Amino acid sequence: MADIVLEPGPLVIASHNDGKVREIRELLEPYGFEIRTAAELGLIDPEETGSTFEENAVLKAETACLGSGLPALADDSGLAVDALGGDPGIYSARWAEAADGSRDFAMAMRNVEEKMQGKGAAEINRGAQFVCVLALARPGVETVTFAGIVGGTMVWPPRGSQGFGYDPAFLPDGFERTFGEMDADEKHGWTPGDDQAPPLSHRARAFAVFAAACLSGLTRNPAKA
Ligand code: IMP
């Protein structure tokens, strides 16, 4: 991959998912970007027609870049449950679609649990991963992607009301609190006063790869670290 130098300036977060926008904003903000969101720019939310996280992330980033003329960072992510062969995976948001079109993650988490129970195994394999692929699209330049993954265990019943989506049902390996019980800094893996702390969430891990490739000339604001 050719060296990528992303200067602080306008950068579009190409997502219409409030939870993701909040987390990507938190991850980007310490680097001094002027953050715009797809919603505030009136950009369309394209149909996710790809068959991989990567294809969908690229689709979203390029749509926002084309619509705004600005660099755009998109995220495609989801929960891959071992006992379900990696489902809901790229369909994680769709599994939460209620009949009236709203998103119901209590229903989606129950559905995942029932499908795991329905496998009828003597001992349920509760292993799962959260996966995130970030795509950076810039006008006239090839789009690049960065992946992050975090392993964990599905818990039932869900615990905690922080984060978003499937967070309350996911216990990351090595922790006793679900993502739903963690505040944002803990989910990112940020330790106050330690700028080098390893990232934790799939999104923070993908972001760390992105930052190493594209933001190496910039330092994270120690006030936030
Ligand atoms: P998409 O990337 O827009 O297809 O949506 C990804 C979906 O995966 C989200 O709507 C959430 O349901 C789920 N998801 C992705 N990242 C997270 C996370 O950090 N916590 C909880 N759920 C997530």
Side-chain angles (χ1 to χ4, degrees):
M1 189 195 298
D3 277 356
I4 300 163
V5 181
L6 202 56
E7 302 291 343
L11 180 61
V12 180
I13 302 177
S15 175
H16 291 259
N17 176 316
D18 292 343
K20 278 192 205 177
V21 169
R22 188 180 61 243
E23 290 194 1
I24 298 170
R25 185 191 287 279
E26 286 162 358
L27 291 163
L28 276 170
E29 241 168 9
Y31 291 92
F33 287 97
E34 292 163 36
I35 296 164
R36 312 263 192 274
T37 66
E40 82 195 24
L41 293 174
L43 302 173
I44 59 160
D45 191 8
E47 197 189 337
E48 296 183 20
T49 52
S51 55
T52 61
F53 290 112
E54 193 165 48
E55 284 174 10
N56 283 333
V58 169
L59 184 74
K60 288 185 271 191
E62 291 186 345
T63 302
C65 177
L66 213 60
S68 63
L70 296 170
L73 188 67
D75 159 313
D76 201 63
S77 48
L79 177 69
V81 177
D82 294 344
L84 305 183
D87 277 344
I90 61 168
Y91 304 110
S92 296
R94 259 172 254 179
W95 278 36
E97 266 171 27
D100 65 0
S102 64
R103 293 262 159 91
D104 182 347
F105 282 97
M107 174 191 78
M109 288 185 280
R110 198 178 330 110
N111 193 7
V112 167
E113 179 65 21
E114 284 172 1
K115 283 198 158 55
M116 286 168 58
Q117 301 271 358
K119 289 290 167 190
E123 198 172 322
I124 300 173
N125 172 3
R126 306 195 69 86
Q129 291 80 44
F130 261 129
V131 181
C132 173
V133 175
L134 292 172
L136 174 69
R138 291 157 297 158
V141 187
E142 201 178 336
T143 299
V144 284
T145 60
F146 312 91
I149 187 164
V150 58
T153 304
M154 298 305 294
V155 300
W156 192 258
R159 300 186 336 227
S161 56
Q162 306 201 63
F164 68 100
Y166 297 86
D167 278 342
F170 185 84
L171 184 68
D173 287 339
F175 288 79
E176 290 178 359
R177 280 180 302 285
T178 66
F179 274 167
E181 294 172 304
M182 293 183 177
D183 65 19
D185 282 2
E186 189 176 9
K187 184 178 171 189
H188 294 323
W190 286 352
T191 307
D194 182 358
D195 204 24
Q196 303 302 316
L200 174 59
S201 76
H202 50 313
R203 187 161 296 105
R205 289 180 181 187
F207 189 85
V209 184
F210 160 72
C214 305
L215 310 179
S216 53
L218 309 175
T219 47
R220 205 166 88 193
N221 170 10
K224 177 65 212 174

